[in-house]
Amino acid sequence: MTVPAPTITTDVLVVGAGPAGLATAVSALRHGAGVLVVERRAGISTVPRATGVSTRTMEIFRSWGVDDAVRAGRVDCEPRIAVHHTLAEPPLTEVPIGYPSMREALAVSPAHPVICPQDHIEPLLVEQIRRLGGAVRFGTALVGLRLDAGGYGVRGELVAADGTAVAAVRARFVVGADGTCSPVRTALGIGLERLGTLGEFAQVQFRPDLSALLGRRLHALNVVEHPDATGMLLPVGDGRWTYSQRWFPERGQSLADYTPQRWVALLRTATGLPRLRPQLLAARPFTMAAAVATRYRSGSGFLVGDAAHRMTPIAGIGMNTAIHDGHELGWRLAWVLRGLAGEALLDSYAAEREPAGRANALRSLREGGAEPGDGLPVDIGRGYRSAVIAADGAPSTAVTRLVQQAAPGERAPHVWVRRHGRRCSVLDLFEDRLTVLAGRAGDGWTRAADRLTGMPLQVHVAGRGLSDEHGDLSRTYRLGERSAVLVRPDGVVAWRHDGSCADPVATLAAAVALATGQSTSEALAV
């Protein structure tokens, strides 16, 4: 007698345990959703892949309490591009990579970027998911995905690597974080728009540490222009490096040409170390291409990371964009599951993240050094527009310089404040609730928030609960005596009011309803 496979029920089913899927899971769990992550690989990735961790990503990691652990895996290198004849020779030129210096970052953030390999970050996020009560199942694939009638839920089957049925699965939401070929995207009926290709590449990962061999600190990206070994050398942590070279199938070249002997010869030439005896760890081909999904949502299904937007490694923005997707989507799913938000909040994920994903994918096709707007402006300065953000003052989604005005759609600016006698960033206040920052005569907003009893909502009045002795908070947030700025849990300004207010209760209720995608009566009734 065949025993039917058990049925697993969860709030959110995440397919794929890369940075995007893991970030989605952490965000959803921290806001109260149940999460199951399934990954067809047998275990966590051991491939370093991306290494650039941006300022905004480090802010997110800081809010999750993993920033110190991420920094512990940082690669000691100059965050710049260097062009060499061979690596052993002094650089011919240096080019900005688009990441700010520590001083530039700390002027506008409590965090700063690091160079850290993806395979150091992913285990930290898996550990965080399990600590928060979520589940991660490796060696497990999702097949037969289908939406329930009306699109309010999903069903599928989980199978082991050998095709053996593991369990049936039901979830309120499914998140496709399953890479560029994304079976989830296909099952949801979402298409793919190809933006361009820069060529075919072969890559080898190897030891030893070239910085140690050469006795100096090297750059995050090293372009080698030797005619016999043109390519790119990158330090990827734990004493490992990668070397990548473009190959041309249209010229009759083949991946079979890249034998271990050829890799050794190429590495000796590219490094300028003729006696180098590299330990070859792994080799793989990859295509430098960019593409975007035609939609980010279909009913109860959502896309994040490479499933939503494929990028080349240029500018180091792929992993960061993926993590930002997950951070933005996870809390939305949890708030809707908890009855704190409506469908419009789910729709806003696509409205806000699609422009960012497309812009970053297109940027990844532009070869060369940093462009205007790279670094801090695009990382923490790009504005959002959607139906859950007040229209007045909403910034453009295209940025060439960093402007922080606490306008609707902006990331809320960082300011150091003191709360309960302890120094903290104002960003530390936003993680698990809606937050109102009010001017010094903002008692009316506090009383109004007390009426919204079921909504996770707090009010901080400048100069009272939060110290503002030098006026930094009031100045940065443009807080007049009776101003109010409403900030979402993801640290994005949703609404602001300046000047006197005849009915703070009705005004704040309407603002909360807007930010959570509900009607005013629903917000009051939560």
Side-chain angles (χ1 to χ4, degrees):
M1 179 178 178
T2 303
V3 178
T7 297
I8 298 172
T9 302
T10 187
D11 290 334
V12 181
L13 173 64
V14 177
V15 184
L22 298 176
T24 305
V26 173
S27 178
L29 285 161
R30 288 179 66 88
H31 287 273
V35 179
L36 168 63
V37 181
V38 295
E39 168 56 60
R40 66 172 58 247
R41 297 187 313 244
I44 199 73
S45 175
T46 57
V47 180
R49 296 185 187 274
T51 58
V53 187
S54 75
T55 304
R56 178 58 183 154
T57 303
M58 286 302 292
E59 287 180 352
I60 294 169
F61 287 162
R62 182 175 180 273
S63 73
W64 293 347
V66 298
D67 54 323
D68 287 342
V70 170
R71 276 194 292 269
R74 68 185 180 274
V75 180
D76 185 22
C77 60
E78 296 287 346
R80 294 174 64 83
I81 301 171
V83 180
H84 306 258
H85 180 65
T86 68
L87 191 66
E89 299 171 74
L92 302 171
T93 186
E94 293 185 25
V95 182
I97 204 169
Y99 276 31
S101 68
M102 185 181 298
R103 176 176 294 182
E104 290 169 334
L106 292 179
V108 294
S109 173
H112 59 84
V114 298
I115 304 297
C116 178
Q118 185 173 318
D119 63 346
H120 175 81
I121 294 169
E122 289 181 7
L124 300 176
L125 299 183
V126 170
E127 180 183 353
Q128 186 82 338
I129 289 166
R130 290 172 171 159
R131 187 184 68 80
L132 292 167
V136 183
R137 298 180 66 148
F138 289 100
T140 305
L142 174 70
V143 298
L145 174 66
R146 56 201 179 274
L147 299 180
D148 286 347
Y152 293 100
V154 298
R155 298 169 183 258
E157 288 75 45
L158 302 181
V159 299
D162 62 1
T164 304
V166 173
V169 63
R170 297 186 64 181
R172 174 65 178 87
F173 299 112
V174 65
V175 179
D178 48 346
T180 57
C181 295
S182 186
V184 170
R185 186 180 64 224
T186 300
L188 293 175
I190 297 175
L192 189 68
E193 179 187 350
R194 303 185 188 280
L195 300 178
T197 301
L198 296 181
E200 302 293 334
F201 288 78
Q203 182 184 84
V204 65
Q205 182 189 148
F206 66 95
R207 286 193 175 97
D209 184 352
L210 299 178
S211 294
L213 283 182
L214 294 174
R216 69 177 192 270
R217 194 168 187 244
L218 297 174
H219 294 72
L221 174 58
N222 300 272
V223 178
V224 174
E225 294 189 336
H226 191 291
D228 296 329
T230 301
M232 295 173 286
L233 283 158
L234 288 80
V236 291
D238 194 26
R240 302 167 300 174
W241 280 67
T242 63
Y243 171 74
S244 303
Q245 184 179 67
R246 185 175 181 182
W247 64 284
F248 300 89
E250 67 274 15
R251 299 178 187 174
Q253 296 176 1
S254 168
L255 283 172
D257 298 335
Y258 287 89
T259 62
Q261 294 78 13
R262 185 179 181 192
W263 279 126
V264 170
L266 284 169
L267 291 174
R268 286 174 173 171
T269 303
T271 61
L273 300 170
R275 297 183 180 180
L276 181 70
R277 300 180 63 184
Q279 176 191 3
L280 305 181
L281 304 175
R284 67 182 184 98
F286 67 96
T287 303
M288 272 204 186
V292 293
T294 55
R295 289 178 289 149
Y296 278 27
R297 180 189 184 189
S298 177
S300 293
F302 297 81
L303 302 178
V304 293
D306 287 350
H309 41 65
R310 179 180 184 177
M311 300 180 194
T312 79
I314 291 174
I317 49 183
M319 179 174 67
N320 295 293
T321 308
I323 290 169
H324 301 175
D325 288 345
H327 178 249
E328 294 284 356
L329 178 59
W331 78 271
R332 285 170 160 89
L333 300 178
W335 276 50
V336 169
L337 285 161
R338 292 167 59 193
L340 298 173
E343 279 288 311
L345 186 67
L346 297 180
D347 288 338
S348 72
Y349 164 71
E352 295 176 16
R353 292 303 300 165
E354 280 180 354
R358 177 178 289 273
N360 287 351
L362 288 170
R363 169 64 188 95
S364 79
L365 291 171
R366 298 199 302 268
E367 298 181 83
E371 298 278 340
D374 285 354
L376 287 170
V378 75
D379 189 34
I380 66 175
R382 174 179 282 132
Y384 287 152
R385 288 176 175 167
S386 73
V388 299
I389 291 174
D392 292 345
S396 169
T397 56
V399 290
T400 57
R401 61 190 181 91
L402 181 61
V403 178
Q404 296 184 293
Q405 298 181 325
E410 284 185 3
R411 160 198 168 271
H414 155 69
V415 181
W416 290 113
V417 295
R418 298 194 74 83
R419 186 186 182 210
H420 304 314
R422 299 183 63 182
R423 186 174 184 257
C424 68
S425 169
V426 71
L427 304 188
D428 298 336
L429 308 177
F430 305 144
E431 168 66 16
D432 60 352
R433 62 193 62 216
L434 293 170
T435 302
V436 175
L437 299 176
R440 293 176 179 271
D443 290 342
W445 300 114
T446 301
R447 291 191 293 269
D450 291 341
R451 293 283 301 276
L452 300 171
T453 54
M455 182 65 65
L457 175 66
Q458 62 185 346
V459 178
H460 294 288
V461 178
R464 298 192 187 180
L466 296 180
S467 67
D468 193 26
E469 56 184 314
H470 301 297
D472 292 342
L473 180 64
S474 295
R475 181 171 54 257
T476 302
Y477 279 79
R478 298 186 292 125
L479 295 177
E481 288 290 303
R482 292 176 173 79
S483 294
V485 174
L486 180 65
V487 183
R488 303 188 317 202
D490 56 4
V492 173
V493 176
W495 166 92
R496 68 175 296 132
H497 177 92
D498 294 295
S500 60
C501 181
D503 190 347
V505 174
T507 301
L508 185 58
V512 168
L514 172 75
T516 57
Q518 298 176 298
S519 67
T520 302
S521 59
E522 287 175 320
L524 284 166
V526 167

